[in-house]
Amino acid sequence: MDTQPEFILMLNEWLAPAVETAKLWLLSPAAWSQFALLIVAFMAARLLSLRARPVLERFITPPEGKTGALVTARHFASRLLPLLLPLFAWGLTAMGEEITRSLFGSGAVIAFGKRVFLFIAARIFVREVLRDGFLRLLGRYVLIPVAALYALGILDEISLRLEETIIALGNIRFSVMALIRGVIVGSLLFWLGSWSNRQSADYIKKQEELRPATRELAVKATEVMIFGAAFLLLMSIMGIDLTAVAVLGGALGVGIGLGLQQIAANFVSGIILLLEGQTTVGDYVELDGGEKGTIVKMTARACILETFDGKWIVVPNDHFVTSRVVNYSDQGSANRYEAEFSVSYDTDINKVPEIIEAAVAALPFVLTEPDGPDCELRGFGESSVDFAVEYWVNGIDDGKNRFGSPVLFAIWNALKDNGIEMPFPQRVVHIRNATPEANVA
C-alpha cells in the first residue's frame, strides 16, 4: 500500500469524526427535531429582517447634502443592514440551543447551525460591507476560511496543532500560530495605522491657525507615534521578548552610526527645519549649489523644490542646515528687483530717472510700499550711460520673466516716446598702412 502524505493523513484524522457525526445525526430523531428548529429559526429571522430593515433604513439614512463624521458613520451603518438576516438567525438559534440543552441535554445539531449562520454572516460582511481592497482580500483569505473551520468544529484542534509547532531563530522562539497571528494582526495594525495617519494628517493640515512648519512637524510626530505603537503592539501579540528588540535596536544604532549617518543627519535636519520654521512649505529658496525653487513638500529625508518651469528638485535636508540658503519668503511677501538699461551719451540724463520711474510706477503689480520705483545712474560705459531701476512687487519673479519682462517693455516704450536713444556698441577702425598691390609677373 502506498504511503499517503502526512497532510492527507491529518485531514482524514480531522474529517473522520465529522463523517461519523453526520451519520449519527441522519439516524437520530433528536437531530431531526433540531434541524426543524433551525428551519423555524431561519424563517423567523427572515420575517424579522424584512420588518426591521425598512425601519432601520429610515432611521440610519442621513439627509441629502449633509456632511461630517456622523453622516459618514451612518452611511457605514447602512452598509451593515444585509447582516440582519444571519445575525437574527444566529440569535434565535442560540436561544433554541439553550432551550434544547435544558430539555433534552443535547444540542449539537443546533449548535452547528449557529456556527453556520456565523459563517454566512462572515461571507456577507466580506462581499457586501467591506469596500477597501486590502480588507476584502484579508476577509476573503482569512476571515471566511476561519469561519468555515469554526463552522465545521475543527478550528480549535487546528489552532492547537499550530501552537505546538515551534520555530526557533537564534534566541527567539515562537509558534507557527504566533507567526500566522502576527502576519494577520500586523497587516491589520499597519493598515489601521496608515488609515489613522491619513485622517490625522488631513485634520492637522486643516488647522490654518498653525504655522505650516508646525503642521508638518505635528504630522510627522503623529506618524512616528502611530507606527511605533503598532510595531510594539505587534511584537507583544507575537509573544516576542522586547529585550530582543532592544538588542536589535542597539545593532541598528550602530548601523546608523557607521553606514546610515547621512540618512540620520537628513532626518535630524528635517526635524530642526520644522522646529525653527525659518524655511517651510511655500517658500522660494536658493541654495549655494544653485538649486532654487518653491518648496512644495518637506519629508523626513529631503525637501522638494519646484522650479518655475515645473521641474522638481529633491534636496537633502542637511543642505538647508549646513550651507547658505537665500529665502525669498512666501508668495505673499514683497520683494525688490531691478532692471538694467542704457542710453546714449547724447541724452540729457537728468530727465531719465523721472521718465522711467513714472513708467514703471504705472504698472499694476509695482508697489509703492515699502518704496516706489527708484531709477539710479550706475556708470559710464564705453558706448552708453548705464542706468538701473529698482522696484518692489508682491511675489517672486521666478525665472526673471514674471515681472522683469513687463518692466523692460515699459522702459523701452517710455524711452521711445521721449525720443531717447538706446545705443549699441560701435567700433571705429583706422587703416594706417594700405597693403600694396601684388606685382603681376
Side-chain angles (χ1 to χ4, degrees), residues 129-152:
V129 177
L130 296 180
R131 300 288 177 84
D132 184 83
F134 171 76
L135 292 181
R136 295 192 71 173
L137 183 68
L138 203 62
R140 185 179 296 116
Y141 294 104
V142 176
L143 180 61
I144 291 179
V146 168
L149 295 176
Y150 176 72
L152 295 174

Side-chain angles (χ1 to χ4, degrees), residues 79-99:
R79 299 209 308 265
L80 298 175
L81 293 178
L83 295 173
L84 285 177
L85 175 59
L87 292 181
F88 275 140
W90 179 85
L92 293 174
T93 305
M95 291 188 293
E97 180 186 8
E98 293 296 327
I99 295 173

Side-chain angles (χ1 to χ4, degrees), residues 93-216:
T93 305
M95 291 188 293
E97 180 186 8
E98 293 296 327
I99 295 173
T100 303
R101 290 188 183 278
S102 63
L103 294 178
F104 305 107
S106 174
V109 175
I110 202 167
F112 171 74
K114 184 177 68 173
R115 296 195 300 268
V116 170
F117 288 136
L118 277 182
F119 171 73
I120 295 173
R123 291 192 64 199
I124 294 175
F125 181 75
V126 173
R127 291 186 175 185
E128 301 187 28
V129 177
L130 296 180
R131 300 288 177 84
D132 184 83
F134 171 76
L135 292 181
R136 295 192 71 173
L137 183 68
L138 203 62
R140 185 179 296 116
Y141 294 104
V142 176
L143 180 61
I144 291 179
V146 168
L149 295 176
Y150 176 72
L152 295 174
I154 59 176
L155 180 62
D156 292 339
E157 186 175 352
I158 294 177
S159 300
L160 181 61
R161 294 290 182 90
L162 295 176
E163 287 283 1
E164 293 173 348
T165 306
I166 303 298
I167 297 176
L169 297 175
N171 295 327
I172 301 176
R173 296 173 56 87
F174 51 86
S175 65
V176 175
M177 188 63 187
L179 178 62
I180 296 174
R181 189 188 303 119
V183 171
I184 297 172
V185 176
S187 300
L188 280 173
L189 282 176
F190 281 96
W191 176 87
L192 183 62
S194 178
W195 179 83
S196 302
N197 183 54
R198 291 195 302 270
Q199 298 299 318
S200 60
D202 292 340
Y203 175 78
I204 292 172
K205 289 178 180 179
K206 290 179 182 178
Q207 308 306 309
E208 298 293 340
E209 65 274 9
L210 299 177
R211 294 187 300 115
T214 304
R215 292 199 296 267
E216 290 293 330

Side-chain angles (χ1 to χ4, degrees), residues 21-77:
T21 302
K23 291 179 180 179
L24 180 64
W25 287 353
L26 291 175
L27 300 176
S28 172
W32 296 348
S33 63
Q34 293 180 45
F35 277 120
L37 285 175
L38 285 176
I39 295 174
V40 171
F42 177 78
M43 298 302 295
R46 183 175 178 83
L47 180 61
L48 284 173
S49 64
L50 290 175
R51 295 290 182 86
R53 183 162 181 166
V55 177
L56 292 175
E57 284 180 346
R58 289 194 299 270
F59 176 75
I60 293 175
T61 303
E64 292 292 337
K66 296 290 185 178
T67 58
L70 183 59
V71 173
T72 303
R74 293 175 70 175
H75 277 300
F76 177 77

